[in-house]
Amino acid sequence: MWWLYLIFALILLLFACIIFVIAYGVKFVLRVDADNLSVCAQCFILDRIEIFCIKIFVCQGLFYYQINKNDLKILKRGDNEGAKTQNKRKKAKKLKIGAYLSNLLSKSPNLTVRSLSVNYGTSFEEIKDRALFDGYTTLIANTFMAIGSEKLKVQEFGLQNVSDISTFNGVDIECVMGLSLFKIAAYAIYAMIIKNKYKVAV
């Protein structure tokens, strides 16, 4: 019987480690570079340990992607369309999107983001054009923050145009979340469970 207690203790230890890591903070980074048409999404734990990375970029007219350190692969549009057609035939049901989304919005949890940093670079040479773009960007960001203030709380928010100190042309977003990730996971499970309730036969 002692091995059952050992397994139980190891499971508790693993669960405690997961809670500690998430409570410490999980960092998500999204970088979109307009110059070379690339997108990079990363996930870090304990500030520096990368646990996930996906890169998408264009080379000689083809879209490539790489997950973590695996080999590069080409995005094939035809294969995706064929898979979607087969899935539609298998399901033979239609999702009532309006009612489904309405339910999800009503059940959406309150989330807390520890920090959200948005750095962007522009290629405007005229100072007035850059100032106008900065003004619109700030207005849009503040509007979204105000709309989502009831459900989303951002403890630290930063928005900066880095064109003066960098040649980067794109958007670099960094987000750090803690225990709210458990709410997101539970919400995602709930969304999958109730999805079948809003499907009707075609």
Side-chain angles (χ1 to χ4, degrees):
M1 290 293 295
W2 63 269
W3 56 273
L4 290 177
Y5 292 106
L6 178 60
I7 293 175
F8 183 69
L10 292 175
I11 292 174
L12 286 179
L13 180 61
L14 178 62
F15 186 67
C17 292
I18 293 174
I19 293 178
F20 170 77
V21 169
I22 295 179
Y24 183 88
V26 179
K27 181 168 64 175
F28 302 93
V29 177
L30 176 65
R31 183 180 178 89
V32 181
D33 194 329
D35 289 332
N36 55 20
L37 299 177
S38 65
V39 177
C40 179
Q42 298 170 286
C43 179
F44 297 88
I45 59 173
L46 303 177
D47 285 338
R48 298 181 180 180
I49 303 176
E50 181 183 278
I51 60 172
F52 179 77
C53 177
I54 180 170
K55 300 176 183 178
I56 302 174
F57 60 93
V58 179
C59 182
Q60 296 181 351
L62 295 176
F63 282 92
Y64 291 86
Y65 71 95
Q66 182 184 34
I67 299 177
N68 294 332
K69 301 298 182 181
N70 297 325
D71 296 334
L72 292 175
K73 295 183 179 180
I74 301 176
L75 283 172
K76 297 181 180 180
R77 183 177 180 182
D79 293 345
N80 293 334
E81 290 180 350
K84 290 180 180 179
T85 303
Q86 291 179 359
N87 289 333
K88 289 181 179 179
R89 291 177 180 174
K90 290 180 181 179
K91 292 178 181 178
K93 289 185 177 181
K94 183 178 181 181
L95 179 66
K96 296 188 291 185
I97 298 178
Y100 179 63
L101 293 179
S102 177
N103 189 327
L104 289 182
L105 288 175
S106 65
K107 300 294 184 180
S108 59
N110 297 324
L111 301 176
T112 300
V113 176
R114 290 185 182 176
S115 66
L116 178 61
S117 175
V118 181
N119 296 325
Y120 63 95
T122 60
S123 57
F124 296 117
E125 295 182 359
E126 295 290 337
I127 297 178
K128 62 178 182 179
D129 293 334
R130 184 184 302 178
L132 186 62
F133 183 82
D134 290 344
Y136 281 125
T137 303
T138 303
L139 177 63
I140 294 173
N142 291 336
T143 301
F144 277 112
M145 294 286 288
I147 293 175
S149 59
E150 293 184 359
K151 292 289 186 177
L152 181 64
K153 180 181 178 182
V154 181
Q155 295 177 344
E156 295 181 10
F157 177 69
L159 179 66
Q160 182 182 6
N161 189 338
V162 295
S163 300
D164 293 332
I165 58 177
S166 173
T167 58
F168 174 63
N169 184 24
V171 181
D172 193 353
I173 303 174
E174 183 177 303
C175 174
V176 178
M177 297 188 69
L179 296 176
S180 288
L181 289 174
F182 286 114
K183 293 183 179 181
I184 295 176
Y187 183 63
I189 295 173
Y190 171 77
M192 290 186 292
I193 292 175
I194 68 168
K195 188 174 182 179
N196 289 331
K197 296 181 180 179
Y198 293 91
K199 287 183 178 181
V200 293
V202 178

